[in-house]
Amino acid sequence: MTGPDFSHAQEAITQGATRVAGVDEVGRGPLAGPVTAAAVILEPGNVPDGLHDSKKLSAKRREALHDALMTCAEVSVAHASVEEIDELNILRASHLAMERAIAGLSTPPDIALIDGNMIPRGLTIPARSIVKGDAVSLSISAASIVAKIRRDRIMWDLAQQFPGYGWESNAGYPSKTHKEALQNLGVTPHHRRSFKPVHNILYQEKSVSD
């Protein structure tokens, strides 16, 4: 199976770019927690071996690659909160996290390679969207790994504060354990109230109280 390569970034470099950022987000599907984005600028000739779509890597391999990227690449991580997700919708909140991650780089990149089929509307730099970019672009693969690790760490910390939902293993996604805990333990401040399973429980509670 062919893995990601540097061709998309190299194409931008041949067109005059010197700083090419790969950008990806993690956490659109969970019922709880923020959505997290990373922007990563790789240094050609100093790219860690084994970069790939974070979903195709083991947890141990992701951790190792994350740590390697923190030493050899420029990395920026940003989030959109549960409140912003509920207010804006998950797509716009995901794009907001991406915009924040790009803005957090030391200086603006010449171009951003964005995972997906849409470019965040708030970007003020050139950008290119790449469908399944985390599987074809090393720059986006790197961003997917960093975003995944950082968000998982947030959810692990929240799991210590709110035990029973299984966030340390399901990262807030709607697993059986998580959905059962929602019914038995209720909704926490970290749940996305606009998401149907959470909204339905809140509506049930309101109906009972009324």
Side-chain angles (χ1 to χ4, degrees):
M1 183 176 63
T2 304
D5 60 34
F6 210 59
S7 61
H8 295 86
Q10 195 61 51
E11 179 182 349
I13 290 170
T14 59
Q15 294 172 356
T18 57
R19 290 169 57 78
V20 180
V23 185
D24 199 4
E25 52 74 27
V26 171
R28 285 195 188 187
L31 304 179
V35 61
T36 299
V40 178
I41 297 178
L42 295 173
E43 182 183 328
N46 191 19
V47 179
D49 290 334
L51 292 178
H52 213 306
D53 174 0
S54 64
K55 297 182 290 295
K56 299 182 183 299
L57 301 171
S58 68
K60 184 177 180 180
R61 187 66 183 138
R62 281 196 299 266
E63 286 279 358
L65 286 167
H66 169 273
D67 293 348
L69 287 165
M70 296 307 295
T71 65
C72 71
E74 184 177 346
V75 175
S76 173
V77 179
H79 315 276
S81 68
V82 167
E83 291 78 15
E84 289 170 325
I85 292 168
D86 287 339
E87 179 182 350
L88 299 172
N89 74 49
I90 185 58
L91 175 62
R92 177 68 190 118
S94 299
H95 285 179
L96 180 60
M98 288 182 171
E99 292 163 13
R100 288 170 173 166
I102 294 168
L105 293 166
S106 61
T107 57
D110 299 309
I111 187 171
L113 305 179
I114 309 286
D115 183 58
N117 61 0
M118 294 179 66
I119 294 172
R121 65 190 185 204
L123 284 189
T124 57
I125 61 167
R128 177 184 173 193
S129 61
I130 303 175
V131 176
K132 298 189 184 302
D134 48 7
V136 299
S137 164
L138 286 171
S139 301
I140 298 177
S141 295
S144 78
I145 291 165
V146 172
K148 169 69 173 166
I149 290 294
R150 297 299 186 86
R151 188 179 184 281
D152 282 356
R153 290 178 180 177
I154 289 172
M155 296 310 297
W156 191 92
D157 287 342
L158 290 177
Q160 313 315 302
Q161 303 171 43
F162 295 88
Y165 297 88
W167 293 343
E168 67 280 1
S169 57
N170 64 41
Y173 283 86
S175 67
K176 181 181 178 183
T177 298
H178 191 179
K179 289 189 287 187
E180 288 177 350
L182 263 175
Q183 291 287 348
N184 298 327
L185 301 176
V187 176
T188 74
H190 300 286
H191 277 103
R192 302 173 179 180
R193 282 156 168 71
S194 58
F195 278 43
K196 191 172 182 180
V198 181
H199 174 80
N200 287 349
I201 287 174
L202 290 171
Y203 184 77
Q204 290 168 7
E205 291 174 351
K206 184 177 186 301
S207 298
V208 169
S209 64
D210 289 347

